[in-house]
């Protein structure tokens, strides 16, 4: 495989070369992909003007590189092995040729609905094959996909559909989720009451449940796909044409629609996948993420297909029919490369080891983790019980904003170190800065993690709000991209990510902004004001805890927790529910009226000695009252 890094020395050479001449490095790699028209300029723009562009003047289509290119060379190679929620249900297999045909059918259906280049199409589906083919169909015709995770509420879906002004929404009647079903169509109907931009809803008949179809708006996707042509010419996309929008939470305000573009993202997803996972031709990859998150975009929908690899796509959950399902799936498909999140590892680690041991895991060669810092116990268990100490672990650090993996070891090529993401990918220059914005040059070091130069896979903007993009990522440390994460660097230059340093909490690997949750809670008629913080949680990594001022000072915290969680489920989705609620008469505030969440975090973790100087608070006396409220609640 051209330019795959295959030794530590080669990594060093490539890394050094890539930083010396980033344009030459990326130009060489870009040559190995298919283009309708070659680019004029490899890269232009910078972080100060925030006008970064890659491969300007070039034209390509990501599906040509992910599908047609492989259909030419190996049409009958398996692309997708789809495993349904029910282990006894019908599996589905798609060769590269079949996958291309399905994508083309879907692309023609979208065209028939009037979807044109640049239009936004929103997907609110479970992990059915049509989610994958639908996303790729958008890319085929130049429409912009915006996938909303099927666990979000009607309100959250509506917010995203409205923000990106989607023309079409695609959903299924219901989703299977373990022993439950989720009413995706019903939730979509509820959400779309508020969405004027939506012209049609395509609904996949999946569970067969009776659902309400709105005359003149809703159509059965299955029927349309069946009669659609399997041929569809790929749209010639300019390198910087948008490919997708994906919403993610930040420390303030509503979720942001990060926008990724065509050529740079394509190269980033493809090259990182190739170097980090090191797959052989006959290997089988499985990423257990949902396409509703960035991991499912870059490392299910795009990365593996761009490399012509075979992968498992899984509809179900790790605990159904029992907590051995992941390991059974690995055995069933002889998975060699498995990529999951620390929260899943911790949850399965807590189960009977017999569930692991009953499966034959000898096919495994490489293990990956993503989404949150992995604790040493989980890393060790993953290494020993799943990898049987023979599989390198790639701890991959990255973000929705970065488009693909930024810091990770390369499986079997560079060293895996427990709990360290380790080394940057070629052309990535991480820097640690102190709180005054000064770069820390020496090793070992600890600071806020920034990235120094533009890279091809970076998000180009927040859809409809470039100024917010600047403010959020480029204003804290001018000239640098600020990740929102803290990190340590050891004497050899390996990075260990310590977690978010802003008001973003990582619950089971899912990003939730505390401000978003507070906004939801504050809408409750019995709450005056609230402050939400993240607290450590054994399985989820972090959980949410809310400090709340009720209108009725005799309110009971258990009842408040229940009521507030119902509201959060409605406004955002069950993933943002609080684990604990503490009733307080006031919140600690600065003199300018800002809530001091830092003080609340210290109280919650019982680090009372390091509360710092609280005398500058507007209401210093409240600290003891809150400490007491915490004590009497526990
Ligand atoms: C966290 C997920 C430690 C981090 C791909 C980041 C990690 C946020 C790791 C992005 C890792 C992701 N080690 N922390 N290997 N990977 N994170 O946008 O806090 O859903 O900022 O992207 O997850 O979450 P997002």
């Amino acid at each position: 495989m051209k330019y795959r890094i295959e030794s530590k020395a080669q990594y060093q050479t490539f890394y050094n070369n890539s930083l010396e001449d980033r344009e030459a490095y990326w130009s060489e790699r870009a040559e190995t992909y298919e283009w309708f028209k070659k680019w004029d300029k490899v890269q232009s723009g910078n972080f100060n003007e925030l006008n970064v562009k890659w491969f300007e003047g070039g034209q390509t289509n990501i599906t040509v590189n992910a599908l047609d290119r492989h259909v030419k060379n190996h049409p009958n190679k398996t692309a997708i092995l789809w495993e349904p929620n029910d282990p006894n249900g019908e599996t589905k297999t798609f060769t590269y040729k079949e996958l291309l045909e399905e994508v083309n059918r879907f692309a023609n259906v979208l065209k028939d609905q009037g979807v044109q280049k640049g239009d936004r199409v929103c997907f609110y589906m479970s992990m059915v094959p049509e989610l994958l083919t639908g996303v790729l169909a958008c890319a085929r015709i130049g429409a912009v996909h915006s996938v909303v995770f099927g666990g979000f509420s009607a309100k959250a879906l509506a917010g995203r559909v409205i923000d990106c002004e989607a023309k079409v929404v695609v959903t299924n009647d219901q989703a299977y989720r373990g022993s439950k079903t989720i009413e995706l169509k019903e939730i979509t109907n509820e959400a779309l009451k508020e969405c004027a931009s939506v012209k049609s809803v395509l609904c996949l008949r999946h569970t067969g449940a009776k659902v309400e179809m709105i005359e003149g708006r809703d159509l059965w996707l299955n029927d349309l796909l069946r009669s659609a042509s399997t041929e569809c010419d790929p749209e010639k996309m300019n390198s910087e044409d948008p490919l997708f929008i994906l919403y993610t939470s930040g420390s303030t305000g509503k979720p942001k629609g990060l926008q990724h573009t065509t050529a740079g993202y394509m190269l980033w997803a493809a090259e990182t996948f190739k170097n980090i996972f090191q797959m052989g031709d006959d290997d089988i990859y499985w990423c257990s993420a949902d396409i509703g998150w960035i991991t499912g975009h870059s490392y299910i929908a795009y990365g593996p297909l761009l490399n012509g690899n075979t992968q498992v796509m899984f509809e179900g959950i790790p605990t159904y029919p029992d907590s051995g399902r992941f390991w059974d799936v690995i055995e069933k498909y002889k998975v060699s490369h498995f990529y999951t999140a620390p929260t899943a590892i911790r949850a399965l680690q807590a189960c009977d080891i017999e569930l692991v041991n009953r499966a034959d895991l000898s096919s495994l060669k490489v293990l990956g983790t993503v989404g949150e810092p992995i604790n040493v116990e989980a890393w060790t268990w993953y290494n020993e019980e799943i990898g049987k100490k023979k599989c390198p672990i790639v701890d991959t650090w990255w973000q929705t904003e970065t488009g693909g993996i930024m810091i990770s070891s390369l499986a079997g090529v560079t060293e895996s170190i427990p709990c360290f993401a380790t080394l940057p990918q070629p052309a990535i220059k991480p820097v640690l800065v102190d709180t005054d914005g000064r770069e820390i040059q020496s090793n070992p070091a600890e600071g806020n993690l920034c990235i120094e130069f533009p890279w091809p896979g970076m998000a180009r903007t927040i859809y409809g709000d470039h100024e917010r993009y600047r403010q959020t990522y480029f204003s804290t440390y001018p000239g640098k991209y600020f990740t929102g994460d803290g990190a340590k660097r050891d004497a050899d230059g390996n990075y260990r990510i310590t977690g978010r340093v802003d008001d973003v909490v990582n619950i089971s690997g899912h990003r939730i902004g505390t401000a978003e949750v507070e906004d939801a809670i504050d809408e409750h008629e019995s709450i005056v004001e609230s402050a939400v913080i993240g607290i450590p949680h054994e399985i989820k990594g972090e959980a949410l805890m809310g400090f709340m001022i009720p209108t009725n000072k005799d309110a009971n915290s258990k009842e408040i927790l229940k009521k507030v969680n119902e509201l959060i489920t409605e406004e955002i989705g069950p993933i943002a529910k609080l684990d604990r609620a503490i009733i307080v008469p006031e919140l600690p505030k600065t003199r300018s009226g800002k809530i001091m969440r830092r003080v609340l975090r210290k109280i919650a973790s019982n680090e009372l000695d390091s509360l710092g100087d609280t005398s500058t608070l507007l209401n210093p006396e409240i600290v003891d009252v809150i400490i007491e409220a915490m004590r009497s609640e526990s």
Side-chain angles (χ1 to χ4, degrees):
M1 232 184 282
K2 199 131 195 224
Y3 296 122
R4 184 163 86 180
I5 303 175
E6 286 178 338
S7 68
K8 174 86 201 254
Q10 198 183 13
Y11 163 79
Q12 276 308 346
T13 314
F14 277 18
Y15 187 73
N16 296 344
N17 293 349
S18 71
L19 283 193
E20 239 160 61
D21 190 345
R22 280 176 291 137
E23 296 209 10
Y25 183 86
W26 284 113
S27 168
E28 269 178 0
R29 268 122 203 104
E31 297 274 5
T32 65
Y33 294 79
E34 288 198 9
W35 299 79
F36 297 115
K37 179 172 170 284
K38 199 179 162 175
W39 57 93
D40 304 320
K41 177 115 190 70
V42 180
Q43 198 243 306
S44 64
N46 56 52
F47 287 165
N48 289 317
E49 285 160 76
L50 218 46
N51 52 352
V52 173
K53 293 193 171 84
W54 285 87
F55 308 107
E56 238 186 321
Q59 285 189 324
T60 184
N61 186 298
I62 195 166
T63 67
V64 168
N65 285 288
L67 300 171
D68 306 60
R69 195 161 58 124
H70 309 307
V71 172
K72 257 189 257 161
N73 301 330
H74 45 75
N76 299 323
K77 179 162 180 179
T78 303
I80 302 292
L81 296 156
W82 184 76
E83 167 75 2
N85 178 65
D86 176 356
N88 302 314
E90 194 193 330
T91 61
K92 291 183 185 163
T93 303
F94 300 85
T95 62
Y96 270 89
K97 181 165 175 287
E98 289 163 340
L99 189 61
L100 175 59
E101 286 171 357
E102 291 310 310
V103 169
N104 284 344
R105 277 183 204 274
F106 209 136
N108 287 320
V109 167
L110 292 174
K111 275 187 177 171
D112 285 345
Q113 292 308 309
V115 175
Q116 295 176 345
K117 182 175 174 184
D119 285 343
R120 272 80 56 210
V121 176
C122 179
F123 292 84
Y124 184 65
M125 302 182 93
S126 55
M127 283 287 282
V128 287
E130 289 77 4
L131 172 56
L132 176 70
T133 53
V135 158
L136 294 169
C138 285
R140 188 85 178 162
I141 62 171
V144 179
H145 56 79
S146 169
V147 186
V148 178
F149 174 61
F152 280 116
S153 69
K155 282 231 169 113
L157 172 61
R160 287 157 171 80
V161 170
I162 292 169
D163 187 77
C164 76
E165 300 160 295
K167 196 172 197 176
V168 172
V169 174
V170 190
T171 187
N172 13 329
D173 47 7
Q174 290 179 317
Y176 290 116
R177 194 175 158 74
S179 56
K180 296 192 203 134
T181 46
I182 298 175
E183 304 294 333
L184 292 182
K185 179 65 167 67
E186 196 182 310
I187 299 171
T188 303
N189 286 349
E190 177 64 29
L192 295 193
K193 284 180 186 158
E194 304 168 38
C195 306
S197 63
V198 177
K199 300 286 173 273
S200 48
V201 174
L202 306 178
C203 181
L204 177 79
R205 197 181 283 111
H206 183 53
T207 68
K210 200 167 158 26
V211 293
E212 190 193 355
M213 296 289 279
I214 307 236
E215 182 83 36
R217 187 196 70 182
D218 300 357
L219 295 162
W220 288 108
L221 180 61
N222 318 53
D223 302 341
L224 302 176
L225 286 174
R226 207 171 302 126
S227 55
S229 158
T230 55
E231 300 207 350
C232 176
D233 285 340
E235 187 75 30
K236 292 191 170 79
M237 301 298 288
N238 294 319
S239 295
E240 284 294 323
D241 279 340
L243 175 66
F244 68 87
I245 297 169
L246 184 62
Y247 288 83
T248 189
S249 297
S251 45
T252 56
K254 285 195 168 25
K256 309 175 282 253
L258 271 313
Q259 181 165 299
H260 285 275
T261 57
T262 301
Y265 174 83
M266 171 174 90
L267 253 85
W268 194 244
E271 292 292 306
T272 50
F273 183 81
K274 176 173 73 181
N275 286 324
I276 291 160
F277 287 97
Q278 299 279 325
M279 285 190 62
D281 279 348
D282 297 326
D283 285 339
I284 313 276
Y285 166 84
W286 176 28
C287 167
S288 72
D290 190 292
I291 294 181
W293 308 108
I294 191 69
T295 304
H297 280 60
S298 304
Y299 300 110
I300 297 178
Y302 292 113
L305 296 177
L306 284 163
N307 283 286
N309 291 123
T310 302
Q311 67 177 317
V312 173
M313 176 175 177
F314 179 46
E315 183 190 25
I317 55 171
T319 50
Y320 178 79
D322 65 28
S323 299
R325 185 70 187 276
F326 270 10
W327 323 125
D328 294 347
V329 172
I330 291 174
E331 173 175 338
K332 179 168 175 182
Y333 294 98
K334 300 198 169 35
V335 171
S336 54
H337 291 62
F338 179 54
Y339 192 27
T340 194
T343 186
I345 299 168
R346 286 190 299 265
L348 299 176
Q349 180 185 5
C351 302
D352 187 351
I353 192 70
E354 255 320 294
L355 294 167
V356 175
N357 292 341
R358 77 177 181 206
D360 175 4
L361 300 180
S362 59
S363 56
L364 284 173
K365 295 179 184 169
V366 171
L367 299 174
T369 109
V370 58
E372 51 180 315
I374 184 165
N375 48 310
V376 71
E377 296 78 13
W379 195 97
T380 308
W381 186 83
Y382 200 32
N383 181 38
E384 291 177 0
E385 302 295 341
I386 306 304
K388 317 290 183 200
K389 295 192 196 162
K390 67 177 176 58
C391 302
I393 295 181
V394 289
D395 178 351
T396 63
W397 173 82
W398 59 297
Q399 310 179 294
T400 305
E401 293 83 346
T402 68
I405 300 167
M406 302 288 277
I407 305 182
S408 169
S409 56
L410 314 180
V413 171
T414 64
E415 198 190 352
S416 307
I417 307 172
C419 309
F420 276 73
T422 72
L423 299 172
Q425 294 306 294
I428 295 301
K429 174 93 196 297
V431 286
L432 295 179
V433 294
D434 64 20
T435 40
D436 298 326
R438 272 189 304 257
E439 199 177 321
I440 312 166
Q441 306 272 6
S442 57
N443 288 347
E446 178 165 10
N448 288 346
L449 179 63
C450 295
I451 307 291
E452 178 106 35
F453 307 115
W455 65 100
M458 61 179 276
R460 301 292 192 267
T461 192
I462 291 174
Y463 181 76
D465 200 346
H466 200 58
E467 186 47 35
R468 186 172 178 207
Y469 180 62
R470 176 196 311 285
Q471 278 295 332
T472 311
Y473 306 107
F474 301 91
S475 67
T476 320
Y477 305 112
K480 295 182 178 67
Y481 165 75
F482 177 41
T483 64
D485 279 315
K488 290 181 179 171
R489 188 171 54 212
D490 74 7
D492 302 320
N494 291 296
Y495 287 86
R496 175 178 191 159
I497 312 300
T498 50
R500 302 288 305 195
V501 292
D502 55 7
D503 290 320
V504 171
V505 179
N506 206 323
I507 307 167
S508 303
H510 301 150
R511 269 167 75 166
I512 302 289
T514 52
E516 216 183 311
V517 184
E518 288 165 6
D519 283 350
I521 299 174
D522 294 348
E523 280 193 20
H524 204 286
E525 63 213 11
S526 40
I527 305 293
V528 180
E529 198 181 11
S530 66
V532 172
I533 59 164
I535 50 172
H537 187 281
E538 234 174 78
I539 305 284
K540 299 195 275 192
E542 279 186 289
L544 292 174
M545 174 164 170
F547 294 84
M548 281 173 269
I549 310 175
T551 43
N552 168 8
K553 60 178 181 10
D554 301 322
N556 167 309
S557 64
K558 295 254 162 1
E559 268 166 38
I560 291 267
L561 180 66
K562 189 162 167 280
K563 281 195 208 162
V564 157
N565 275 342
E566 280 166 14
L567 183 67
I568 293 174
T569 305
E570 222 174 86
E571 294 284 326
I572 306 172
I575 48 174
K577 284 202 288 197
L578 304 183
D579 271 36
R580 266 188 95 180
I582 306 288
I583 288 182
V584 293
E586 269 178 55
L587 293 165
K589 288 194 175 168
T590 62
R591 286 183 202 273
S592 59
K594 271 176 79 176
I595 299 172
M596 289 290 281
R597 290 186 187 72
R598 184 181 56 79
V599 170
L600 294 173
R601 278 194 285 264
K602 293 280 179 202
I603 296 177
S605 56
N606 206 17
E607 291 170 59
L608 302 181
D609 296 341
S610 55
L611 268 178
D613 181 10
T614 52
S615 66
T616 55
L617 290 175
L618 183 69
N619 48 356
E621 69 292 344
I622 200 65
V623 172
D624 285 336
V625 179
I626 297 178
I627 294 172
E628 195 39 48
M630 282 271 314
R631 282 205 181 117
S632 59
E633 286 288 341
S634 51

